Amino acid sequence: MRITPPLVAALAAAVLLAGCGREPAAPAEAGVGQRLYGRIAFKPCSLTSPFAADSIAAQCARFAVPENPAQPKGRQVQLNIAWLPATDQADIAADPVFFLAGGPGQAATEVWPTLDAAFREVRKHRHVILVDQRGTGQSNPLICRNAKGDSAVMEDEATSTEAVVKFAADCAAKLQADPRYYTTTDAVRDLDSVRAALGAAQIDVVGGSYGTRVAQQYAARYPQHTRAVVIDGVVPNELVLGSEHARNLDASLALQFEQCRKNPTCRQRFGDDPRAQLRKLMARLKEQPVEVEYRDPTTGELKRDTATAGAVAGLTRMFAYAPQAAALLPLVLNEADQGRYAPLMSLAQLIQGQVSEQIMHGMQLSVICAEDADLLKDDPADADTVMGSDLSTVLVAQCKVWPTGKRPADFHAPFRSQLPTLVLSGEFDPVTPPRYGEQVLKGLPNGRHLVLRGQGHGSFASGCMPKLMGQFLESADAKSLNAKCLDSLGYVPPFVSFNGWEP
Amino acid sequence: MKTSPKTSWMTATWAVVRKELRDIGRDRRTLALALLLGPLLYPLLMLGMGSLAEKRAKTQLDQTLEVPVLGAERAPNLVAYLATRGIVATQPPADLDQAIARQDVDVALQIGADYGKQWKEGQPALVEIVQDSTRRDAEIPSARLRSALEAYSQQVGALRLLARGLSPAIARPVNVGTRDLATPEAKRGLMLSFMLPYLLIFSSFIGGAALILDATAGERERQSLEPLLATPAARGAIVSGKIAAACLLGLTSLLLTLLAFKLSAQMGGGTMRMLDVSFMAIGKMLLILLPMLFIGTALLTYLAAGAKSIKEAQSHMTWLMLMPMVPTVILMVNPLKTQLWQFMVPFLAQNQLLLKVIRGEFITMQVWMIYLSAGFALAALLWYAAVRRYHNERLAISG
């Protein structure tokens, strides 16, 4: 048989094309059980959280960065990194998503299990990278411990400013770290080192709460390496952290309580003015704290503690973050007002335990002392608020002894960028109200601000937001998003009995 | 000039090979079909599958789902919650059950008469999803409704515990996680594991069919076999020549198919990009499929030699085409753990080995030895059987 000319041509073409190699679509194999992403070798791990129903399969790695950038050979921080490979094997985008946690002091790998479901669309075609910000999680955590050995802001019985300050000084002395190098600016530099090591030319930065500050700083310092930005519960660069929190919380509570006033059953059950009731309750407890016997919310053991105005304020503050929890407030506060403090104490303990375990106070001090404390001023308007000025007073006092780093001169300059940016705010957010999102949007010609009805602090998971976020990261075009589906979001009705809201 | 019997045997074989190839070369259409069908069709098939899958990949917003709700007034807050999930309650038709039977309604929700009372007393309050489970298009809306209801139930359950000062976490004693150690290569292989081995085994198994049917049963039908057998050439040499020609044709077709896969993997996107198409992998696949090619061709020769016409010979093709499917089906129903004996069973062995190559797994020398010796031994056996059949005198006389 003689091979006919068309056949020869076909064969030749096949062989020629076969010769040109291609880049491997996915990272190459590295050792048994290891997977390489860029230069970083990952191993299988699972991310768990006490607050999430599922644990999340991921790839984990360590990545060393110098603690002090001026001394590359000095002490290293072993950053803890998790890589969540895209769930669809086909068509994985070149730009991974970096998720930036809040706090300051929360670790991305620890909050992720509660957020994973909200990112299911994003994860289909994009890898997600979680970097525990230096000083949090397992990246050399700056943890301050009380006498019991628990992560804490101060000793439980601390009443004097001296005791609070001493707690911070003792904590700093015990740390195997130089707390001056745990600021947002250091974290942003770490993120870019990780990006470079992964071999990604561009990344998408997605941040919530304090993570929005990190996201804005990253996008401002490395615009060429940023493809798109999503910020949820926005801290404008101009804002001094902690400065308006007390007033924002009260404004949010007013909106929440209005929900109860508008609901006939709730109004009948809890009266016309839950805010007045709360004020009365706190005044009474301030006057005379009450000894309470209650059950531990997790172990069920009987405990004895003092119900204070501070406990009520802390609980109210934390419950206001999520509208579902806020729906419980009228009921729980009413119970306490009637002299039944046990559920309130259980919940206060539950929340306090969760928050202090999750937030590394030392890292929080490193950030706030360098970036905000010197700008924090006592505001007389905070006097009649639920929180008062206690929180910022503690921080400012502790910063006096905390080894304090520096911030760049333009740190608080407004974020101005051409980058496609999606800005999210919850209508009832007690920390970062929608007006902050409005403010940041002014510097973003390619930005879009979505205010989510009835939502609190953090709206990634609300309604069709997961899908919208998926679409935005696909198109990197905020303007063309069809956000009509958010109209279906509604308000969480208030609890009118222990079995919930009206059927 | 006297030549050694061995040389003349070889010369005769080679002459038959050339003759058979020239014969089929005259029939351009058959040749093109035999050579190019596989290389053109299979990559198209795979590309098509890939692009179908990718069409769905863009994030689509959920459509609003309209669900007739019977007794919506008993649970206004539940209805409001469903609306936040894009599930809108509509007025139910008077005859709901009939409407579902008529397929006017995919899925409906009925809220129990005691819903409010049960809710307030802390009893599980009854809601029913009404659907016809045999209707496939009702599955998606009903799953969406169910997941929204479950989320609602979970949320309120957790809040009820909180209201009593209990941590919702205590109602979830065990947290079950999964740590998946599969390599990305193995995951890719999963998608292709059903299609690709079958296609490759199939094309190597019957790749030489067009030629061999024509060269055996066809020649007998045309009564041109008789003069060929009357030549002084050994019958063994004649059969071997025919088989060798068919093998050459099959090999070319196989090579083209593999190269076409490589080509489409490089040009195509999605699923196709994930095929391991390095020359190393292609070489291994070729080595795996080589015994299959010999086995298939020898078997066909044996069968076709017994047939009186092409038509009769072609009737064997039906069951032969099913053979490569057998292990795939068995593996689908009952996944086997890899064991050494499997590498001796034709079709199963090829299937397993091809999967290993696709997954980028290492194949030990022992497995190669077992596989290749078993494969070539079977091919030699069938070859011998075909040669024996040609020694039968009746063969030369047609009809």
Side-chain angles (χ1 to χ4, degrees):
Chain A
M1 179 190 75
R2 289 199 344 268
I3 296 175
T4 51
L7 273 181
V8 176
L11 262 179
V15 171
L16 270 178
L17 271 151
C20 39
R22 67 187 165 99
E23 290 296 306
E29 200 75 1
V32 178
Q34 285 201 330
R35 282 173 72 180
L36 272 180
Y37 186 172
R39 288 193 282 111
I40 306 179
F42 289 82
K43 272 191 173 165
C45 61
S46 46
L47 307 180
T48 55
S49 156
F51 321 117
D54 301 307
S55 68
I56 310 296
Q59 303 282 327
C60 292
R62 291 288 183 158
F63 182 76
V65 286
E67 183 181 62
N68 175 357
Q71 294 172 1
K73 295 264 178 269
R75 179 163 43 207
Q76 302 287 306
V77 178
Q78 297 288 335
L79 293 177
N80 179 43
I81 306 177
W83 162 31
L84 298 133
T87 51
D88 275 15
Q89 295 284 316
D91 280 346
I92 297 169
D95 48 302
V97 171
F98 276 49
F99 171 76
L100 313 166
Q106 273 187 318
T109 60
E110 286 171 14
V111 292
W112 184 262
T114 59
L115 281 171
D116 187 70
F119 282 78
R120 61 185 180 271
E121 298 294 334
V122 170
R123 283 193 59 192
K124 278 187 180 159
H125 298 288
R126 282 190 165 71
H127 299 307
V128 172
I129 298 292
L130 309 171
V131 181
D132 281 353
Q133 186 166 342
R134 56 163 73 189
T136 73
Q138 292 173 56
S139 300
N140 195 19
L142 303 190
I143 187 166
C144 291
R145 295 184 190 281
N146 60 17
K148 279 187 263 172
D150 297 333
S151 170
V153 174
M154 53 185 159
E155 289 297 347
D156 284 347
E157 317 77 49
T159 41
S160 67
T161 312
E162 291 76 43
V164 165
V165 169
K166 183 171 180 301
F167 180 77
D170 288 351
C171 174
K174 276 188 213 141
L175 289 173
Q176 294 290 318
D178 187 337
R180 293 177 299 162
Y181 299 109
Y182 287 78
T183 65
T184 307
T185 312
D186 296 302
V188 160
R189 193 180 51 246
D190 290 346
L191 287 177
D192 203 58
S193 307
V194 173
R195 177 205 60 77
L198 293 176
Q202 284 197 317
I203 61 173
D204 305 297
V205 282
V206 178
S209 191
Y210 159 75
T212 65
R213 172 181 277 185
V214 185
Q216 292 170 77
Q217 294 290 335
Y218 183 88
R221 312 275 156 198
Y222 303 99
Q224 73 279 20
H225 293 314
T226 313
R227 176 176 164 269
V229 181
V230 182
I231 40 182
D232 178 17
V234 191
V235 181
N237 281 347
E238 305 93 299
L239 183 75
V240 177
L241 271 186
S243 65
E244 295 175 5
H245 187 10
R247 267 163 293 155
N248 292 342
L249 173 64
D250 265 48
S252 164
L253 284 177
L255 293 171
Q256 304 269 16
F257 289 150
E258 186 60 26
Q259 294 297 307
C260 182
R261 277 160 47 88
K262 277 197 283 193
N263 180 312
T265 323
C266 191
R267 188 173 177 163
Q268 193 198 340
R269 179 100 159 64
F270 303 123
D272 236 0
D273 194 354
R275 179 68 183 94
Q277 198 178 29
L278 172 61
R279 191 173 287 124
K280 211 166 72 202
L281 169 68
M282 285 180 65
R284 210 165 59 226
L285 285 175
K286 196 167 271 173
E287 195 88 352
Q288 189 167 26
V290 182
E291 189 82 354
V292 182
E293 207 170 57
Y294 68 97
R295 297 242 169 226
D296 183 286
T298 50
T299 66
E301 278 166 17
L302 208 55
K303 286 196 168 175
R304 195 164 253 294
D305 211 337
T306 317
T308 61
V312 173
L315 180 84
T316 308
R317 172 185 170 218
M318 294 316 296
F319 268 38
Y321 273 58
Q324 287 80 10
L328 295 174
L329 272 178
L331 177 72
V332 174
L333 294 177
N334 182 264
E335 282 290 302
D337 195 36
Q338 315 250 325
R340 296 184 288 271
Y341 294 102
L344 181 137
M345 286 305 287
S346 298
L347 291 177
Q349 206 207 345
L350 179 69
I351 299 250
Q352 203 203 345
Q354 288 181 355
V355 170
S356 48
E357 276 309 308
Q358 273 224 329
I359 293 198
M360 296 296 109
H361 186 58
M363 180 276 192
Q364 188 165 59
L365 283 175
S366 284
V367 168
I368 289 182
C369 297
E371 292 161 16
D372 303 284
D374 58 323
L375 303 171
L376 262 179
K377 287 189 222 48
D378 264 350
D379 193 322
D382 289 350
D384 184 42
T385 59
V386 173
M387 272 172 61
S389 52
D390 287 356
L391 194 74
S392 48
T393 312
V394 168
L395 288 174
V396 170
Q398 290 186 327
C399 280
K400 293 217 167 78
V401 295
W402 193 256
T404 297
K406 290 186 182 61
R407 62 168 181 261
D410 60 350
F411 189 82
H412 284 295
F415 178 48
R416 294 194 191 290
S417 172
Q418 298 291 324
L419 289 168
T421 305
L422 192 60
V423 183
L424 310 177
S425 301
E427 185 189 4
F428 290 170
D429 191 331
V431 201
T432 53
R435 67 166 195 281
Y436 288 171
E438 229 30 73
Q439 185 183 340
V440 171
L441 187 71
K442 285 189 187 128
L444 304 171
N446 293 314
R448 171 100 174 255
H449 183 208
L450 302 176
V451 181
L452 285 84
R453 185 189 301 139
Q455 304 304 303
H457 190 53
S459 321
F460 285 130
S462 306
C464 60
M465 209 49 236
K467 297 231 170 189
L468 285 179
M469 197 157 53
Q471 285 190 332
F472 171 67
L473 288 177
E474 268 163 29
S475 66
D477 181 357
K479 292 266 156 74
S480 72
L481 275 188
N482 180 0
K484 261 191 110 57
C485 60
L486 288 176
D487 293 348
S488 67
L489 281 175
Y491 297 103
V492 179
F495 258 49
V496 291
S497 78
F498 282 100
N499 280 336
W501 41 73
E502 291 283 274
Chain B
M1 190 176 68
K2 180 101 173 112
T3 49
S4 72
K6 201 177 166 189
T7 326
S8 82
W9 202 90
M10 285 300 288
T11 320
T13 307
W14 183 234
V16 176
V17 169
R18 276 184 315 186
K19 168 204 168 282
E20 296 299 348
L21 289 178
R22 203 180 305 119
D23 273 355
I24 197 149
R26 289 204 193 94
D27 188 353
R28 294 282 166 85
R29 226 180 268 177
T30 314
L31 180 67
L33 219 58
L35 276 182
L36 295 179
L37 192 66
L40 290 180
L41 190 67
Y42 299 156
L44 272 181
L45 211 63
M46 307 285 283
L47 276 176
M49 271 173 37
S51 72
L52 271 184
E54 273 142 40
K55 284 236 172 71
R56 289 177 302 175
K58 272 230 161 88
T59 304
Q60 296 291 328
L61 294 176
D62 284 329
Q63 298 292 318
T64 304
L65 174 63
E66 293 198 341
V67 175
V69 180
L70 213 63
E73 70 287 347
R74 294 180 201 133
N77 274 324
L78 171 62
V79 169
Y81 172 84
L82 290 178
T84 69
R85 303 269 302 228
I87 301 172
V88 176
T90 58
Q91 195 65 37
D95 52 341
L96 182 62
D97 290 9
Q98 253 96 69
I100 288 179
R102 280 200 310 272
Q103 313 201 349
D104 291 348
V105 172
D106 285 337
V107 58
L109 189 66
Q110 179 159 7
I111 292 168
D114 289 338
Y115 182 89
K117 185 164 165 286
Q118 289 167 332
W119 176 272
K120 284 179 182 152
E121 286 175 358
Q123 309 283 346
L126 182 70
V127 295
E128 289 166 306
I129 297 172
V130 191
Q131 67 169 120
D132 176 352
S133 66
T134 58
R135 281 188 51 209
R136 299 217 53 149
D137 50 345
E139 261 169 39
I140 293 173
S142 110
R144 190 168 153 200
L145 185 60
R146 180 177 302 277
S147 99
L149 289 169
E150 272 164 10
Y152 183 71
S153 180
Q154 254 174 24
Q155 189 189 87
V156 177
L159 290 174
R160 280 179 174 180
L161 286 176
L162 276 178
R164 290 160 173 77
L166 295 171
S167 164
I170 56 171
R172 195 171 50 83
V174 175
N175 186 359
V176 182
T178 313
R179 204 145 46 88
D180 189 358
L181 298 178
T183 62
E185 288 77 10
K187 283 189 182 169
R188 286 171 220 161
L190 196 65
M191 284 191 278
L192 298 162
S193 60
F194 291 129
M195 280 297 280
L196 191 60
Y198 175 73
L199 289 179
L200 288 176
I201 295 172
F202 181 75
S203 45
S204 58
F205 186 57
I206 58 165
L211 189 145
I212 210 74
L213 291 185
D214 187 63
T216 52
E219 276 207 274
R220 222 175 141 194
E221 195 175 299
R222 290 192 300 274
Q223 306 196 351
S224 56
L225 191 59
E226 212 171 339
L228 187 63
L229 292 181
T231 58
R235 292 211 170 172
I238 293 172
V239 188
S240 301
K242 285 178 188 292
I243 296 178
C247 285
L248 273 179
L249 188 72
L251 192 64
T252 317
S253 167
L254 192 60
L255 206 60
L256 285 176
T257 308
L258 287 172
L259 286 176
F261 271 122
K262 189 172 171 66
L263 196 73
S264 46
Q266 278 162 2
M267 306 207 305
T271 327
M272 288 302 284
R273 278 193 76 85
M274 295 166 206
L275 280 168
D276 181 5
V277 287
S278 63
F279 277 114
M280 192 62 188
I282 297 259
K284 280 184 198 161
M285 290 196 207
L286 206 58
L287 189 59
I288 291 163
L289 293 168
L290 214 54
M292 194 80 261
L293 185 66
F294 292 154
I295 290 172
T297 315
L299 181 64
L300 265 171
T301 315
Y302 176 78
L303 291 171
K308 293 193 180 74
S309 63
I310 289 208
K311 212 183 268 171
E312 192 189 332
Q314 272 170 343
S315 63
H316 285 295
M317 293 295 284
T318 327
W319 67 269
L320 285 178
M321 277 162 86
L322 288 174
M323 295 273 287
M325 237 189 281
V326 173
T328 317
V329 172
I330 291 176
L331 284 177
M332 226 184 317
V333 180
N334 180 22
L336 284 173
K337 215 172 149 73
T338 309
Q339 278 167 358
L340 269 183
W341 61 263
Q342 293 171 355
F343 298 107
M344 294 167 70
V345 183
F347 301 118
L348 184 62
Q350 281 80 11
N351 204 317
Q352 299 283 72
L353 281 171
L354 286 175
L355 281 181
K356 276 182 177 287
V357 173
I358 295 168
R359 283 188 188 151
E361 285 174 19
F362 181 72
I363 302 173
T364 61
M365 217 50 213
Q366 189 191 17
V367 169
W368 276 120
M369 295 292 286
I370 290 177
Y371 169 68
L372 289 176
S373 30
F376 283 118
L378 182 63
L381 204 68
L382 287 166
W383 193 304
Y384 179 73
V387 171
R388 289 303 308 163
R389 206 157 209 192
Y390 263 73
H391 281 287
N392 189 337
E393 279 305 327
R394 282 193 299 134
L395 200 68
I397 304 121
S398 66

